Amino acid sequence: DAGVIQSPRHEVTEMGQEVTLRCKPISGHNSLFWYRQTMMRGLELLIYFNNNVPIDDSGMPEDRFSAKMPNASFSTLKIQPSEPRDSAVYFCASSLEAGGINEQFFGPGTRLTVL
Amino acid sequence: AQSVTQLGSHVSVSEGALVLLRCNYSSSVPPYLFWYVQYPNQGLQLLLKYTTGATLVKGINGFEAEFKKSETSFHLTKPSAHMSDAAEYFCAGDLGTGANNLFFGTGTRLTVIP
């Protein structure tokens, strides 16, 4: 398997622009997670889906952030409008809940810079 | 409340010295515990995991961790540090909340001094 795929790997945009990050989980996995990593706040869980349904979005910073999972093989994280404080590395991870062991597999991340 | 705590945000060791990274958890049920490693500009990779059974778990790159229920700990060790071990290490746990998300520690950055 190719692992979790994220695109783009790097994104540089200007404040106020819309940003869309994409994730393809490992085939057969039924849970998908979006994380944000910054020097100041470390690794933060933004939202996670189970069987394409959002389960917990309490980590989403504010209404400018939205995430969708239209099918089992694709998810997006959108920021509109973007702000400089959104600059971070965004990770997508997926897992297969099997016997209660939820090992997560991480993608390589998208490094977002908002100018 | 369920949580995973890593003591020490930065650890420095000499090449060839013992590596010890500390992790404690708080859970009302037996947890599943994980150590992940993150190399610069990369995603997190699983080092090892504890689910049930043997409490001493061996992982990749010579790392191992021991689950100690009495101490609610899952410390990561390696007998002899190598320069290539320099990275950030995250302890994580499935603490039996019924949800399938993991609780992550804040990470420990390991520096290896030549």
Side-chain angles (χ1 to χ4, degrees):
Chain A
D1 199 309
V4 176
I5 299 173
Q6 290 186 249
S7 64
R9 292 294 310 276
H10 302 273
E11 176 81 25
V12 180
T13 191
E14 293 188 346
M15 182 174 63
Q17 296 299 305
E18 177 180 295
V19 175
T20 299
L21 311 182
R22 298 173 175 79
C23 176
K24 176 179 170 55
I26 292 173
S27 177
H29 281 191
N30 58 4
S31 295
L32 183 139
F33 308 80
W34 282 101
Y35 292 89
R36 177 173 68 176
Q37 186 178 42
T38 61
M39 290 290 292
M40 293 295 294
R41 301 175 68 92
L43 191 66
E44 305 173 273
L45 176 66
L46 300 178
I47 184 171
Y48 82 91
F49 296 83
N50 186 247
N51 294 321
N52 311 338
V53 176
I55 302 299
D56 183 359
D57 65 354
S58 59
M60 296 285 263
E62 47 197 273
D63 292 345
R64 297 185 298 106
F65 285 69
S66 63
K68 293 182 179 180
M69 192 164 186
N71 57 62
S73 60
F74 184 65
S75 177
T76 60
L77 177 68
K78 186 176 293 186
I79 309 172
Q80 167 62 22
S82 58
E83 296 182 3
R85 60 194 169 115
D86 301 330
S87 297
V89 181
Y90 291 82
F91 289 104
C92 176
S94 70
S95 72
L96 173 64
E97 185 181 2
I101 302 170
N102 300 311
E103 175 185 339
Q104 292 183 19
F105 295 80
F106 282 75
T110 296
R111 182 173 296 276
L112 174 64
T113 303
V114 183
L115 303 175
Chain B
Q2 291 92 343
S3 66
V4 171
T5 304
Q6 291 181 243
L7 296 177
S9 58
H10 291 85
V11 170
S12 293
V13 300
S14 297
E15 190 174 15
L18 171 72
V19 175
L20 171 61
L21 305 182
R22 300 178 185 275
C23 174
N24 289 86
Y25 69 91
S26 174
S27 175
S28 56
V29 300
Y32 299 131
L33 298 167
F34 307 83
W35 275 100
Y36 285 86
V37 60
Q38 183 182 27
Y39 298 105
N41 300 314
Q42 295 186 27
L44 280 69
Q45 304 172 32
L46 184 70
L47 262 183
L48 50 78
K49 62 184 177 184
Y50 167 78
T51 55
T52 58
T55 56
L56 182 63
V57 181
K58 295 186 184 300
I60 61 173
N61 301 336
F63 283 92
E64 60 184 35
E66 187 170 11
F67 173 66
K68 292 187 176 180
K69 183 179 178 181
S70 61
E71 299 179 6
T72 62
S73 70
F74 189 58
H75 301 332
L76 182 71
T77 60
K78 182 173 180 177
S80 177
H82 192 274
M83 295 298 295
S84 61
D85 295 326
E88 187 148 20
Y89 293 80
F90 292 89
C91 182
D94 180 341
L95 304 182
T97 60
N100 51 338
N101 58 311
L102 297 179
F103 288 80
F104 277 86
T106 51
T108 298
R109 184 167 299 277
L110 175 66
T111 300
V112 182
I113 303 166

